[in-house]
Amino acid sequence: MYPATSPVSTPLRPPLTQPYGGPRRANGAQGGGLHPLSGRLDLSGPQGAQLRTVIASVHRICPDFQPVQLLRRSGRSVLLAGTVGRNTVVAKCLLDRSPEWVERFQHEIAAYRTFVRHRPPVRVPRLVAADPDAGTLVTERMQGRPGALKRHPFEAPNRADVRAVLGSVCRLNLWRPPPAAFDRPIDYPARLNRYHELGLLTDRDLGDLQKLLHGVAHAGGRQQAPWQFCHGDALLSNVLLSPAGPVLVDWEHTGWYLPGFDLATLWAVLSEAPGARRQISQLAQAAGPAARDAFLVNLMLVLTREIRTYETAVQRAMREPPPANAAGRGHERAGAMAYGEEQRLLLRRLHDDCGLARRAVRAAVGTR
């Protein structure tokens, strides 16, 4: 992968002089002809101190960044909207400095740097500035609405939206950047063995999937698997939909996968869109038995990963005691109960989907 060891940025205009909150005119509009961004930054208290530290980190690599709005704050990262000259941008700053998340963040920065030299056939935000050591990334803010607000939507998404996303993903999968520009995020045999050791795959599951892997690796007489470039986390929530076309964001998992990984990811989260699932299955089979088998291996891995993630979440929710009986906490308790029930329903749905995928794997093995 392209090394991510030093800051990089595009040429910038002279710094703005307005205070935090962004330049404003008398009529309330943002300066420079920008549309106003909603929300305000609260820089008071402990959380405000954290935001001030984040903003200072962004200023070190992008001096004319003017923060306007807090888009997201989690235990792992902070996402700020702001301006650079006349342009709107998004600054992402890593809070969790554990090795796993530092590696993911550096992976994402390396992907954006590669996109500067090798443009993908889909719309992606333009890199403005980045420092992998400081855990800071600034990109162009693209217009559009999220394809979904949740990882697993509980309502069927718009068919036109799904078609647009699927079209962008398929174009990306056909792209052939320089092989050395990206790595292979998954060691398939090792991942299968780990899930088997955790009890997430049965002995038969492991044997069947290993047979399919062997067949994919030797398809057409080749002695290595046909790798495909994938986003790596092709969720509807990682796509912005606009009249100009879908924009793919969050590239921390991108790289070379066995064919069909992005299709498998979309299939896994589109349980409320059976028509889209049929289309995805048809696309996976159209390229021949090897592509079909690779898709099935990816599908089993994706569904198993999702089951593991949500089982952990449900177990954690069951261990945590309910809020104390205090005035004003009724809504919080009701919300927590509804969230727990939603997680359990999702987990049940994932197990049903895994059963479907398991039967498809066994049928594929039977045709070999």
Side-chain angles (χ1 to χ4, degrees), residues 25-36:
R25 294 177 176 170
N27 62 3
Q30 297 292 327
L34 296 171
H35 295 292

Side-chain angles (χ1 to χ4, degrees), residues 38-118:
S38 60
R40 295 187 60 185
L41 284 175
D42 182 3
L43 300 178
S44 62
Q47 291 188 340
Q50 183 188 66
L51 285 180
R52 290 195 296 271
T53 301
V54 166
I55 292 168
S57 177
V58 178
H59 279 159
R60 281 193 287 271
I61 64 169
C62 193
D64 52 352
F65 172 74
Q66 293 296 312
V68 175
Q69 178 187 6
L70 175 64
L71 297 177
R72 186 183 70 210
R73 188 208 312 255
S74 69
R76 297 192 178 100
S77 63
V78 169
L79 207 63
L80 292 171
T83 61
V84 174
R86 294 178 178 272
N87 302 315
T88 53
V89 299
V90 172
K92 182 177 181 180
C93 296
L94 186 66
L95 301 178
D96 186 340
R97 304 300 295 182
S98 61
E100 176 188 1
W101 287 99
V102 168
E103 181 181 1
R104 287 189 183 185
F105 201 84
Q106 292 180 347
H107 187 110
E108 184 171 19
I109 289 175
Y112 277 111
R113 286 176 165 174
T114 301
F115 294 157
V116 173
R117 303 188 308 278
H118 306 284

Side-chain angles (χ1 to χ4, degrees), residues 153-158 272-273:
F154 270 84
E155 295 182 359
N158 182 279
E272 297 302 318

Side-chain angles (χ1 to χ4, degrees), residues 62-261:
C62 193
D64 52 352
F65 172 74
Q66 293 296 312
V68 175
Q69 178 187 6
L70 175 64
L71 297 177
R72 186 183 70 210
R73 188 208 312 255
S74 69
R76 297 192 178 100
S77 63
V78 169
L79 207 63
L80 292 171
T83 61
V84 174
R86 294 178 178 272
N87 302 315
T88 53
V89 299
V90 172
K92 182 177 181 180
C93 296
L94 186 66
L95 301 178
D96 186 340
R97 304 300 295 182
S98 61
E100 176 188 1
W101 287 99
V102 168
E103 181 181 1
R104 287 189 183 185
F105 201 84
Q106 292 180 347
H107 187 110
E108 184 171 19
I109 289 175
Y112 277 111
R113 286 176 165 174
T114 301
F115 294 157
V116 173
R117 303 188 308 278
H118 306 284
R119 295 297 298 174
V122 295
R123 299 182 70 218
V124 300
R126 178 180 59 87
L127 175 67
V128 175
D131 185 350
D133 295 327
T136 307
L137 171 66
V138 182
T139 63
E140 171 188 15
R141 188 182 192 191
M142 306 291 282
Q143 298 299 316
R145 56 183 173 82
L149 298 178
K150 296 182 179 180
R151 185 178 185 89
H152 291 264
F154 270 84
E155 295 182 359
N158 182 279
R159 292 183 180 180
D161 292 347
V162 173
R163 284 197 301 270
V165 171
L166 193 54
S168 288
V169 167
C170 289
R171 286 196 301 275
L172 180 70
N173 295 158
L174 293 174
W175 188 44
R176 304 298 295 180
F182 296 94
D183 59 12
R184 299 175 183 175
I186 293 181
D187 181 335
Y188 281 86
R191 182 70 61 89
L192 290 176
N193 285 327
R194 181 155 65 93
Y195 284 169
H196 179 251
E197 291 169 358
L198 291 171
L200 299 169
L201 295 175
T202 66
D203 292 345
R204 182 171 179 181
D205 289 336
L206 179 63
D208 288 345
L209 292 170
Q210 286 175 336
K211 289 177 183 176
L212 294 186
L213 269 183
H214 183 269
V216 171
H218 293 82
R222 295 187 300 270
Q223 295 302 307
Q224 64 180 35
W227 298 97
Q228 181 184 74
F229 185 78
C230 293
H231 179 278
D233 201 19
L235 307 167
L236 293 178
S237 54
N238 283 337
V239 180
L240 298 177
L241 297 167
S242 73
V247 181
L248 275 62
V249 299
D250 289 346
W251 293 86
E252 59 191 26
H253 298 285
T254 192
W256 298 100
Y257 293 80
L258 288 182
F261 189 87

